[in-house]
Amino acid sequence: MFVLGIETSCDETACAVVQDGRLIHSNIVATSLKEHSKFGGIIPEIASRRQLELIGAVVGSSLERASLTLKDIDAIAVTRSPGLIGSLLVGISYARALSFAAKKPLVDVDHIKAHLYANSLESYPVAGAPKEMPKLPAIGLIVSGGHTNLYLMKSPTDYKLLGQTRDDAAGEAFDKVSRILGLGYPGGPAIDRIAKEGVNNRIRFPQSPMEGTHDFSFSGVKTAVLQYQQKNKVTSKNDLAQIAYSFQDSVVSILVKKSIALCLQKKIKTLLIGGGVAANSTLRQKLNEEGEKNRIKIFVPPMSLCLDNAAMIAGAGYHLLKQKKLEIPN
Ligand code: KG4
Ligand code: ZN
């Protein structure tokens, strides 16, 4: 079964073709990110206009790359929420029109849960042995620009929210701290890069353990960096690297600690990570180290599937389509 996925929740315009919820035949992503960087954040009006300009070409390229036509597609999956309303509407309207015109069933997908699904995908044709797929039940950690959630995932369509951020999302904290330090937007990759030149230094930023809950809080560490910078007015690359290192260490440590603790508490041996912050090199490394120590199998998507993409939407959509009667909208 070939599912065509469409994702337009923010600044990426993406389309992918995925077979049987697993094999990626094409995964095209266009982005207007560069146009937003001078504003220090996404400008919804610019994002939705670019979506409108790009969507037709991106869908066409995706089918071409997969060497398929619309006739070969069995169903369409589209991101329904969360996201910027103008951007979402472009993808949803396009998907509805395509579904109606080509008489293909359409399914709505939750963007956040789909991020975890990125761990169950591999590229077609498969080179070498097939990838090991996550065993469920699993704990899922979503770390993106808008969310920091912990889920108990019993099946590809059954997710129970166990914890979330009480204030800033992890990616949001990276973006805001990057801005405070003058490192640009998006902040995650900038901090990840410069922190590599930092060392385990004497600057310590707080971690909010949120004892007795599976929730997170990142506004404290963000404010601590702001106050430190207001007081010290750091400008040299070396000093900025030390701050970036300590901030990242604080965020990553708490993410790893709480995710592993939840796995141990629930006696679950699989931990899936998803969302843009899953691209963070220190998070990937620390999770793998702690996973090994605690005999928990860690799944982190390849870099290309950490950021917003439509392969995860098509993959997650496949399971929803299998679960319910396929319907053609009118
Ligand atoms: O999942 P995503 O593409 O968009 C949302 O659904 O929000 O995540 C974007 C977020 C941004 O906040 C960005 O700064 C962060 O992911 N990010 C990173 C890294 N790459 C992207 N955060 C930390 N380290 C990275 N290497
Ligand atoms: Zn996302």
Side-chain angles (χ1 to χ4, degrees):
M1 181 170 168
F2 287 107
V3 176
L4 180 99
I6 294 180
E7 149 66 35
T8 64
S9 65
C10 192
D11 56 311
E12 277 90 9
T13 312
C15 182
V17 177
V18 174
Q19 185 183 359
D20 299 335
R22 175 167 178 163
L23 293 170
I24 304 174
H25 284 252
S26 69
N27 185 24
I28 307 290
V29 184
T31 176
S32 59
L33 186 66
K34 274 201 179 129
E35 293 171 61
H36 306 276
S37 49
K38 61 174 178 280
F39 301 106
I42 302 293
I43 306 296
E45 173 68 16
I46 296 177
S48 54
R49 278 178 189 274
R50 289 292 170 265
Q51 300 280 9
L52 207 51
E53 287 164 10
L54 291 165
I55 184 82
V58 166
V59 173
S61 302
S62 181
L63 285 168
E64 201 181 310
R65 184 74 59 88
S67 304
L68 297 171
T69 68
L70 202 49
K71 276 200 190 124
D72 306 311
I73 298 296
D74 296 291
I76 297 165
V78 65
T79 302
R80 172 69 178 222
S81 66
L84 302 172
I85 188 67
S87 286
L88 283 168
L89 277 172
V90 174
I92 292 169
S93 312
Y94 198 94
R96 283 189 73 83
L98 213 54
S99 155
F100 182 68
K103 301 201 174 359
K104 307 287 177 185
L106 177 70
V107 69
D108 293 335
V109 176
D110 179 287
H111 176 94
I112 298 304
K113 293 170 187 165
H115 265 302
L116 290 178
Y117 197 80
N119 289 293
S120 304
L121 297 167
E122 64 185 328
S123 295
Y124 175 87
V126 177
K131 190 184 138 183
E132 186 187 351
M133 290 295 149
K135 284 197 182 73
L136 301 182
I139 295 297
L141 170 70
I142 285 292
V143 270
S144 72
H147 296 79
T148 306
N149 293 351
L150 274 167
Y151 290 98
L152 170 62
M153 198 180 159
K154 288 190 185 156
S155 81
T157 55
D158 181 351
Y159 296 73
K160 188 172 174 204
L161 183 66
L162 298 180
Q164 59 192 312
T165 181
R166 300 267 180 105
D167 38 56
D168 290 348
E172 191 181 353
F174 270 95
D175 292 335
K176 287 178 176 170
V177 163
S178 177
R179 197 175 185 161
I180 292 166
L181 300 179
L183 298 175
Y185 180 85
I191 290 185
D192 195 353
R193 250 190 325 270
I194 197 170
K196 288 192 171 63
E197 292 163 43
V199 288
N200 197 352
N201 54 61
R202 274 175 295 125
I203 311 171
R204 283 280 170 271
F205 295 120
Q207 287 174 20
S208 303
M210 309 293 285
E211 300 286 0
T213 75
H214 303 301
D215 288 349
F216 299 94
S217 165
F218 297 107
S219 69
V221 60
K222 175 195 68 186
T223 307
V225 175
L226 177 66
Q227 286 170 346
Y228 184 92
Q229 181 61 339
Q230 279 171 342
K231 190 169 160 213
N232 297 285
K233 301 196 173 30
V234 164
T235 52
S236 82
K237 194 171 176 207
N238 185 42
D239 291 343
L240 288 171
Q242 309 303 339
I243 301 177
Y245 177 95
S246 296
F247 160 75
Q248 182 173 269
D249 183 58
S250 173
V251 172
V252 165
S253 300
I254 203 80
L255 288 172
V256 173
K257 217 182 282 175
K258 298 204 77 155
S259 310
I260 297 281
L262 182 55
C263 288
L264 295 174
Q265 191 202 84
K266 299 274 179 204
K267 298 190 171 48
I268 286 180
K269 293 284 172 197
T270 312
L271 175 60
L272 312 183
I273 322 295
V277 184
N280 185 270
S281 54
T282 304
L283 178 62
R284 296 167 86 95
Q285 183 198 330
K286 287 208 168 162
L287 274 169
N288 281 325
E289 285 168 10
E290 287 304 307
E292 212 163 292
K293 260 190 231 162
N294 292 283
R295 293 165 188 254
I296 294 166
K297 178 96 187 139
I298 310 286
F299 287 85
V300 188
M303 287 294 196
S304 59
L305 295 177
C306 282
L307 299 177
D308 289 349
N309 66 85
M312 64 185 197
I313 303 300
Y318 165 79
H319 291 277
L320 293 167
L321 284 156
K322 270 203 334 189
Q323 207 179 44
K324 63 181 204 181
K325 212 172 121 247
L326 306 184
E327 281 171 12
I328 297 167
N330 49 41

